[in-house]
Amino acid sequence: MKIDLVTIFPGILDGPFRESMIKRAVEQNLVDINLVDLRLYTEDRHRQVDDNPYGGGYGMIMKPEPIFKAVEDLKSRSEDLPTKVILLAPQGRSFNQQIACELAEEKHLIMICGRYEGIDERVRTALVDDEISIGDYVLTGGELAAAVVVDSVVRLLPGVLAEEASTEESFTEPLLEYPHYTRPRVFKEMEVPPVLVSGNHGEIARWRREKSLEITFRRRPELLKKVNLSPEDRDYLEKIKKQQS
Ligand code: SAM
């Protein structure tokens, strides 16, 4: 997969991809991540990427010309790859694990990081294939949002994680993950649940499933509507509901 990140602050994005798993994925050529300085696509002396809003009002708006030029250039450099152009925007669809899985199937992503008051609307209507928001709050720019999206997508690419690691975690099914423990077995008088040291894999799997159901029920009950529940799962949830009432 190739990912081009279009930004006026490439330095912000430098750090997240130079450490740990994403760094290894880049070194192993599992993903190619390019930081693209939008100012290189300007033609004036000041390398201006923003201008005043038509109609007046507060703040500056990112001009369309450099963004169109950048995206057209990046597409032409990867003509053999189908490309998806994504704008990071508070108005976009809410990012989640399902969208991360969708994006992990793509071959070439171009992500546009907005700044200032936002972006000329013609970028949105004529250049962008998808808009993604990482939550209902406003960041100063799209760089941190892009880093979140790239991190969650890259770890899903084949070879980046051990296969089980990404199939067993939160949201793979719409369930939150069960609790984890490691050594020591007793810490400050808190003991690891005995089932986890029993060596009985069937019982361990059932305990984990039940804890997942319970945590999801208590913290994000709306997710349970989307889960394929077995008769055992339903019995367990009934039991919890009764305990609660
Ligand atoms: N005036 C805009 C509004 O009210 O929607 C906010 C602009 S924000 C200060 C500047 C840029 O940060 C946006 O163009 C977008 O690229 C990015 N951004 C801000 N919040 C975001 C979020 N929750 N998700 C994704 N991108 C975001």
Side-chain angles (χ1 to χ4, degrees):
M1 174 185 264
K2 182 172 183 185
I3 305 177
D4 291 315
L5 296 146
V6 180
T7 167
I8 57 170
F9 294 119
I12 297 179
L13 285 167
D14 221 19
F17 308 133
R18 288 198 191 276
E19 302 286 345
S20 181
M21 250 173 225
I22 309 294
K23 177 186 169 197
R24 280 202 298 279
V26 170
E27 285 171 352
Q28 290 168 9
N29 290 328
L30 299 171
V31 63
D32 177 13
I33 300 177
N34 297 305
L35 306 184
V36 180
D37 185 348
L38 184 64
R39 291 195 195 275
L40 298 178
Y41 292 91
T42 54
E43 281 171 7
D44 64 302
R45 213 156 50 91
H46 301 292
R47 299 210 170 278
Q48 195 180 344
V49 290
D50 58 326
D51 210 333
N52 293 303
Y54 274 118
Y58 171 80
M60 300 296 272
I61 306 301
M62 292 185 83
K63 290 159 67 63
E65 306 97 305
I67 301 177
F68 270 76
K69 271 180 111 181
V71 169
E72 281 156 12
D73 180 42
L74 295 169
K75 277 186 173 174
S76 73
R77 287 175 195 223
S78 306
E79 252 172 5
D80 47 329
L81 300 176
T83 299
K84 184 160 193 169
V85 182
I86 296 172
L87 174 66
L88 283 311
Q91 299 91 332
R93 53 183 181 140
S94 261
F95 191 59
N96 59 26
Q97 190 68 13
Q98 196 187 325
I99 300 177
C101 292
E102 266 174 41
L103 297 182
E105 300 291 318
E106 299 288 339
K107 296 284 172 245
H108 181 205
L109 299 175
I110 299 178
M111 298 197 188
I112 303 169
C113 306
R115 277 273 150 182
Y116 312 117
E117 267 317 286
I119 284 194
D120 187 286
E121 186 65 13
R122 288 160 291 189
V123 170
R124 188 171 265 130
T125 51
L127 194 63
V128 159
D129 301 311
D130 197 1
E131 289 181 53
I132 289 179
S133 161
I134 63 157
D136 290 345
Y137 43 82
V138 178
L139 301 161
T140 51
E143 290 76 9
L144 296 179
V148 167
V149 173
V150 170
D151 186 283
S152 57
V153 169
V154 169
R155 65 196 294 287
L156 295 173
L157 298 179
V160 175
L161 294 184
E163 206 171 310
E164 323 79 72
S166 60
T167 53
E168 279 207 5
E169 58 196 359
S170 299
F171 304 116
T172 310
E173 241 191 319
L175 278 179
L176 303 181
E177 200 182 38
Y178 51 80
H180 297 285
Y181 295 87
T182 185
R183 271 178 257 278
R185 189 164 166 177
V186 181
F187 175 68
K188 290 186 185 281
E189 295 178 17
M190 293 177 284
E191 199 176 339
V192 171
V195 62
L196 296 180
V197 290
S198 67
N200 184 328
H201 296 294
E203 277 182 23
I204 293 172
R206 190 63 223 157
W207 181 87
R208 288 179 166 163
R209 178 79 181 172
E210 289 179 352
K211 288 294 161 196
S212 263
L213 290 165
E214 186 174 343
I215 291 168
T216 310
F217 172 73
R218 297 200 192 288
R219 299 189 185 177
R220 298 286 304 278
E222 79 283 2
L223 293 176
L224 286 172
K225 290 186 199 122
K226 302 180 211 154
V227 182
N228 257 336
L229 295 171
S230 68
E232 266 178 312
D233 293 339
R234 287 181 200 285
D235 288 348
Y236 185 70
L237 284 169
E238 279 311 311
K239 199 169 104 189
I240 299 173
K241 283 179 200 161
K242 274 191 198 134
Q243 277 170 6
Q244 191 169 268
S245 55

